[in-house]
């Protein structure tokens, strides 16, 4: 709007200047024509014609300048309209940019908050990882102790198996020895019973001619039988 007023003022000033210049020229011509001069009429006509031609040329020039100025003013108006449109477009873009900038600033604030939360979460995870690492080390130590205990238990189990095998062997040997003892016992009981039978027979009176000698012989036999059974039983 200010540019339009300035163009209008400039055009008015130029038009006024040309009009003033034309009036001054006419005044000079009139004064020149009415002045008591020694010039001849032919010279005056020639000068008048020259001035008229100059006036016409000046008028034509003024008309051209006027048209040029009007064209310039019209072009200025068009440029002003175009500039206004461009300014409106730029203002719209600027408003959009400001809106986008505000949204970006808000998003940046949110992102900063998220970054802070993530940093705190990462720090918590680092602490948790450190605690888990310490716990893993403790678990490793426990596993090593358990493995050592398992090894000891395995050796003890192997020892117990060996002892169990030896015990079974001893049990079998004891059972064999018990069976042997039982057989010996039965045999000794039979022999003892036999000896008792022989002893009772020996105590009866002998009807042979040598009674004393036979009695001593049977007594000795009984004694030897009892001693044999004693040694067998032991």
């Amino acid at each position: 709007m200010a540019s339009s007023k300035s163009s209008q003022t400039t055009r008015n000033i130029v038009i006024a200047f040309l009009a003033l210049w034309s009036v001054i020229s006419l005044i000079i011509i009139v004064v020149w024509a009415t002045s008591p001069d020694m010039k001849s009429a032919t010279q005056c006509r020639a000068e008048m014609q020259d001035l008229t031609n100059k006036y016409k040329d000046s008028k034509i020039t003024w008309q051209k300048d006027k048209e040029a100025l009007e064209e310039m003013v019209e072009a200025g108006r068009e440029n002003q309209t175009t500039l206004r449109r461009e300014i409106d477009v730029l203002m719209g873009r600027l408003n959009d940019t400001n809106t986008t900038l505000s949204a970006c600033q808000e998003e940046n604030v949110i992102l900063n908050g998220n970054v802070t939360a993530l940093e705190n979460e990462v720090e918590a995870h680092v602490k948790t990882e450190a605690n888990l690492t310490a716990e893993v080390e403790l678990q490793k130590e426990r596993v090593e102790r358990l493995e050592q205990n398992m090894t000891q238990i395995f050796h003890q189990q192997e020892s117990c198996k060996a002892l169990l095998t030896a015990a079974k062997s001893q049990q079998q040997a004891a059972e064999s020895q018990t069976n042997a003892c039982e057989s010996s016992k039965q045999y000794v009981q039979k022999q003892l019973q036999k000896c008792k039978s022989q002893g009772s027979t020996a105590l009866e009176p002998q009807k042979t001619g040598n009674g004393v000698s036979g009695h001593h012989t049977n007594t000795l036999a009984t004694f030897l039988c009892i001693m044999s059974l004693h040694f067998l039983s032991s």
Side-chain angles (χ1 to χ4, degrees), residues 156-205:
Q156 290 176 359
Q157 185 179 7
E158 292 296 323
S159 178
C160 289
K161 286 181 179 180
L163 291 174
L164 180 60
T165 303
K168 287 182 179 179
S169 298
Q170 290 178 359
Q171 183 181 2
Q172 291 176 356
E175 289 177 353
S176 299
Q177 189 174 3
T178 301
N179 292 330
C181 290
E182 186 67 27
S183 298
S184 298
K185 180 180 178 182
Q186 291 177 0
Y187 176 75
V188 170
Q189 286 178 351
K190 288 179 181 180
Q191 293 297 322
L192 180 61
Q193 187 67 31
K194 185 177 180 181
C195 290
K196 287 180 179 180
S197 298
Q198 290 177 357
S200 62
T201 303
L203 291 175
E204 293 179 356

